[in-house]
Amino acid sequence: TYLGLAGDTAFDTAMAKLTFGDNADLSRIRTAQAPGGSGALRLVAELLQRTRAGATVWLSDPTWPNHMPVMRAAGLQIRDYPYFDAASGSVRFKDMVAALRTAERGDVVLLHGCCHNPTGANLDAAQWAEVADLVVERGLLPFVDIAYQGFGEGLDADAAGLRLLAARAPEMVVASSCSKNFAVYRDRVGAAMILAKDSAQADVAMSQMLSAARALYSMPPDHGAAAVRIVLEDAALRADWQAELEEMRLRMLRLRVGFAEALRRQSNSDRFDFVASHRGMFSRLGLSEAQVERLRTEHAVYMVGDSRINVAGLPEDGMDALAKAIVSVLD
Ligand SMILES: Cc1ncc(COP(=O)(O)O)c(C=O)c1O
């Protein structure tokens, strides 16, 4: 038989708690299992299109390349806000806030919950608080995409910005992915969440979202989410999972520090120190396309054309050789 439009409801509850925290007021929150984080993004986008047709969604510049087509496919308009300063590897927070101050009431602001993809640069606690004040003051709807919870500072710390928004904003929407933190990429496990003003409005929004799911894919797949639910509900399995996730997180951190140190040694400068303070699987090194091309042809070092690297793929025992190659193509 089918699962039902909202999928595995025990999975939904477990995901709401993982995301909003164990003590969250679930009466205002509704969750629908979705086919991956991408499916959750699209489902939320459809809900937005039904409730505020043609609304503008503000995306960070740059952002994960799928955000734009997914939002557009639902009929939403796109604007972007400045986010990343390639030279310093940091967030252009002042510019970001200035751009969002021009947003109209009812506009939607899409934020990466943690581990910003593709840049690796993230908001700190004070910046999240400022964004929360801004969205409340200007009547904007926060839309948090959280695809790497547990990969940055830890499971709860990575959701801290999202939880701060949830405590202050009257309404918000969330798309969450289990692809990375549960390693279920191929099983398509994600969750679309609504935080509404009150329980009655949450029910109305949820019925709209489920009716959108019916038109998109009907029922979500079962087994990946069931596996996640079993792990989250069983104390021993959950402890194992958290320990493995923490091991992965610390490994990425170690690789970041090792890579930044090798780059400092090879370049005799602090130009790439930001790699150590970035979080998540990715960082953008700030190289030009021509430099990325030279790395490919002259050194057999491969990265995305915009100089995004996957930190998990760095060679632990070959950092200096890699750093040397990178430094050799700098101007
Ligand atoms: C920022 C971001 N959001 C969402 C996703 C969605 O992941 P999936 O659809 O595989 O769960 C990804 C995957 O790379 C991502 O980087």
Side-chain angles (χ1 to χ4, degrees):
T1 60
Y2 295 118
L3 265 182
L5 290 166
D8 183 324
T9 51
F11 163 85
D12 294 336
T13 304
M15 285 302 290
K17 287 186 179 170
L18 185 70
T19 311
F20 288 93
D22 280 331
N23 300 322
D25 171 12
L26 296 184
S27 71
R28 287 172 56 210
I29 298 172
R30 296 292 178 277
T31 304
Q33 184 191 320
S38 306
L41 284 164
R42 179 65 190 274
L43 194 51
V44 169
E46 291 291 327
L47 170 68
L48 296 177
Q49 177 64 7
R50 282 172 178 233
T51 52
R52 35 184 100 192
T56 297
V57 181
W58 290 76
L59 303 178
S60 66
D61 175 23
T63 193
W64 183 50
N66 272 7
H67 280 152
M68 200 181 286
V70 169
M71 297 305 132
R72 283 227 172 99
L76 300 166
Q77 307 295 313
I78 306 291
R79 295 279 304 269
D80 53 41
Y81 57 86
Y83 186 78
F84 187 61
D85 176 37
S88 64
S90 58
V91 176
R92 291 171 60 188
F93 190 66
K94 266 195 183 148
D95 297 335
M96 170 180 174
V97 167
L100 292 179
R101 285 207 170 279
T102 70
E104 306 270 332
R105 216 173 176 73
D107 282 3
V108 181
V109 184
L110 199 148
L111 300 150
H112 295 227
C114 61
C115 306
H116 186 272
N117 181 8
T119 69
N122 298 291
L123 302 184
D124 62 27
Q127 292 170 333
W128 275 106
E130 208 173 320
V131 169
D133 286 344
L134 188 135
V135 299
V136 172
E137 181 194 316
R138 300 206 56 87
L140 311 177
L141 179 73
F143 181 176
V144 178
D145 178 8
I146 182 155
Y148 300 89
Q149 192 179 350
F151 274 38
E153 306 287 355
L155 270 177
D156 285 317
D158 286 349
L162 178 158
R163 291 176 191 173
L164 194 140
L165 277 171
R168 298 197 190 170
E171 297 180 313
M172 87 188 249
V173 280
V174 175
S176 156
S177 168
C178 298
S179 298
K180 285 88 184 177
N181 55 10
F182 280 92
V184 287
Y185 287 82
R186 288 184 227 163
D187 301 289
R188 313 310 297 135
V189 188
M193 301 178 201
I194 303 159
L195 172 75
K197 284 184 184 129
D198 54 42
S199 182
Q201 287 222 6
D203 283 336
V204 174
M206 181 69 164
S207 78
Q208 286 296 327
M209 196 159 79
L210 295 184
S211 133
R214 163 82 72 193
L216 282 171
Y217 51 78
S218 194
M219 313 289 169
D222 186 9
H223 300 136
V228 168
R229 184 246 305 149
I230 289 167
V231 170
L232 287 177
E233 284 186 341
D234 181 283
L237 291 175
R238 189 179 177 123
D240 278 354
W241 168 67
Q242 288 192 4
E244 286 178 18
L245 185 59
E246 188 62 3
E247 197 179 316
M248 291 300 134
R249 185 180 80 80
L250 294 175
R251 173 172 178 271
M252 284 185 282
L253 223 54
R254 201 169 61 238
L255 290 167
R256 284 191 175 281
V257 171
F259 188 42
E261 282 171 355
L263 284 162
R264 186 179 261 259
R265 271 194 300 276
Q266 296 298 333
S267 67
N268 259 325
S269 83
D270 58 6
R271 169 173 174 170
F272 293 103
D273 279 8
F274 61 81
V275 170
S277 56
H278 282 176
R279 288 293 177 271
M281 282 172 75
F282 307 111
S283 269
R284 247 195 201 181
L285 296 183
L287 307 178
S288 66
E289 286 209 18
Q291 289 167 332
V292 170
E293 178 64 23
R294 277 189 63 199
L295 276 170
R296 198 173 297 156
T297 51
E298 295 172 24
H299 300 278
V301 170
Y302 297 84
M303 63 183 71
V304 185
D306 64 5
S307 76
R308 185 184 81 155
I309 58 158
N310 181 342
V311 173
L314 287 169
E316 202 149 5
D317 53 0
M319 292 294 195
D320 276 288
L322 176 61
K324 197 171 175 183
I326 290 169
V327 169
S328 79
V329 303
L330 298 178
D331 303 322

